[in-house]
Amino acid sequence: MADQGPSKTNIQKVFKKLRSIPTNKVCFDCATKNPTWASVTYGVFICIDCSAAHRSLGVHVSFVRSTQLDTNWTWLQLRAMQLGGNGNGTAFFTQHNCLTKDSQQKYHSRAAQLYKEKLHQLASQAMRLHGTEINIDNTPDASSPQPKEVDFFQEHEILIAVGNGISEPAPFPMKNGQALSKPSVDSSEGPSVEAALSMSPTTASQVSESRKATIGVRKPAGNKKGGLGGKKGGLGAQKVKTDFTKLEKQMQVADERKAAASLATATESKSKEEEDAQM
């Protein structure tokens, strides 16, 4: 029956095999040799002194049992011990930077909470898969790495590339560092990293020399369009061809004429005033 607990013989077989593991031969907390007690909550072996410290934490934090005296173990508890172990526990706590020796801090930490939940989940899964089988060697342990999460953005880019029909170019055949066939390079496309890596240094230098630089090179003057929209006489700066020296002389003569006219008008006006005064 699935709800029937393991027999004393089964319990002895399980712990005989678990105690043969080198990491389980020392206490999980203080490294005392040949521990005979266990914290079922974390699946680790501890000595009798550390078992007292675990009891003081409360059964909701750490449930302690004897691997030799207690005979009322359940299958779920044995699965936790089989999937846990001192080696897996040490690796998990170290990975989460929980290195303290203080029991209060250690077993009330975030790492302890995560490990307890993970171990319970794996033990329940093993019960569904193996039932009351004694050996469950094919079941992953609690410290095994989880499957790597898929990057959403990376997956999205891959799907777009597949949808657009983009595929990686086939590598060019190489022999002794030389390309067997010269890769064709389309000048209308951008540079190809794959083609550049597949070329030998000699071939790459020849290809680079055959290409003319287009940056900083002026276009021929005949290709330029004048004015807006290429129309002649459009808006824009035009070259001035006026002789400023000649223009200045003309303005000077005009000023002299204007000054002479003004002087003649003033003289005539003065003479007329004198004649009026004599009369």
Side-chain angles (χ1 to χ4, degrees):
M1 295 178 62
D3 56 351
Q4 184 178 0
S7 63
K8 183 178 180 179
T9 303
N10 291 336
I11 296 173
Q12 291 176 350
K13 289 181 179 180
V14 170
F15 283 111
K16 181 179 180 180
K17 183 177 181 179
L18 293 178
R19 279 194 292 264
S20 65
I21 301 174
T23 54
N24 293 338
K25 293 181 179 181
V26 294
C27 176
F28 180 69
D29 290 338
C30 68
T32 300
K33 295 182 178 181
N34 301 322
T36 58
W37 290 78
S39 171
V40 181
T41 307
Y42 303 100
V44 294
F45 290 84
I46 55 178
C47 65
I48 189 172
D49 293 333
C50 291
S51 67
H54 278 251
R55 287 195 187 93
S56 65
L57 298 175
V59 294
H60 63 288
V61 177
S62 179
F63 184 69
V64 179
R65 308 215 70 170
S66 173
T67 61
Q68 296 178 342
L69 303 178
D70 291 328
T71 57
N72 56 344
W73 284 77
T74 64
W75 281 110
L76 185 62
Q77 293 172 350
L78 290 181
R79 297 305 183 215
M81 297 300 301
Q82 288 175 319
L83 296 171
N86 291 10
N88 295 333
T90 301
F92 189 90
F93 277 79
T94 303
Q95 180 183 359
H96 289 74
N97 200 27
C98 183
L99 307 177
T100 180
K101 298 297 183 180
D102 184 83
S103 299
Q104 290 288 342
Q105 296 180 4
K106 183 175 184 178
Y107 293 103
H108 284 90
S109 64
R110 176 62 177 167
Q113 182 67 25
L114 291 175
Y115 189 72
K116 177 171 63 175
E117 295 174 356
K118 183 177 182 181
L119 184 61
H120 179 74
Q121 181 181 1
L122 292 177
S124 301
Q125 182 180 358
M127 283 297 301
R128 293 191 298 268
L129 294 176
H130 301 282
T132 59
E133 295 180 9
I134 297 178
N135 297 322
I136 54 172
D137 296 335
N138 295 330
T139 305
D141 55 66
S143 64
S144 59
Q146 296 296 322
K148 186 177 181 181
E149 296 182 0
V150 179
D151 188 351
F152 172 78
F153 298 99
Q154 182 179 4
E155 184 182 25
H156 184 64
E157 292 176 358
I158 294 174
L159 292 176
I160 293 177
V162 173
N164 295 334
I166 301 175
S167 59
E168 295 184 358
F172 294 100
M174 300 288 291
K175 183 177 181 180
N176 298 329
Q178 300 290 334
L180 297 181
S181 60
K182 184 176 180 180
S184 59
V185 181
D186 188 358
S187 59
S188 63
E189 297 180 357
S192 174
V193 178
E194 290 80 5
L197 293 178
S198 62
M199 294 182 187
S200 64
T202 305
T203 306
S205 61
Q206 293 176 355
V207 173
S208 62
E209 291 177 358
S210 63
R211 292 186 176 183
K212 295 183 178 180
T214 58
I215 300 177
V217 179
R218 294 185 178 181
K219 294 183 179 180
N223 296 335
K224 292 185 178 180
K225 297 180 180 180
L228 296 177
K231 296 181 179 180
K232 295 183 178 180
L235 298 178
Q238 297 182 356
K239 186 175 181 181
V240 180
K241 299 182 180 180
T242 305
D243 189 351
F244 289 98
T245 304
K246 185 177 180 180
L247 181 62
E248 185 178 358
K249 289 181 179 180
Q250 292 177 356
M251 293 178 64
Q252 185 176 1
V253 172
D255 291 340
E256 291 177 355
R257 290 179 180 177
K258 186 177 180 181
S262 299
L263 180 60
T265 302
T267 304
E268 183 181 355
S269 176
K270 184 176 181 181
S271 299
K272 188 176 181 180
E273 290 179 357
E274 291 177 354
E275 291 177 358
D276 293 338
Q278 291 177 1
M279 292 177 62

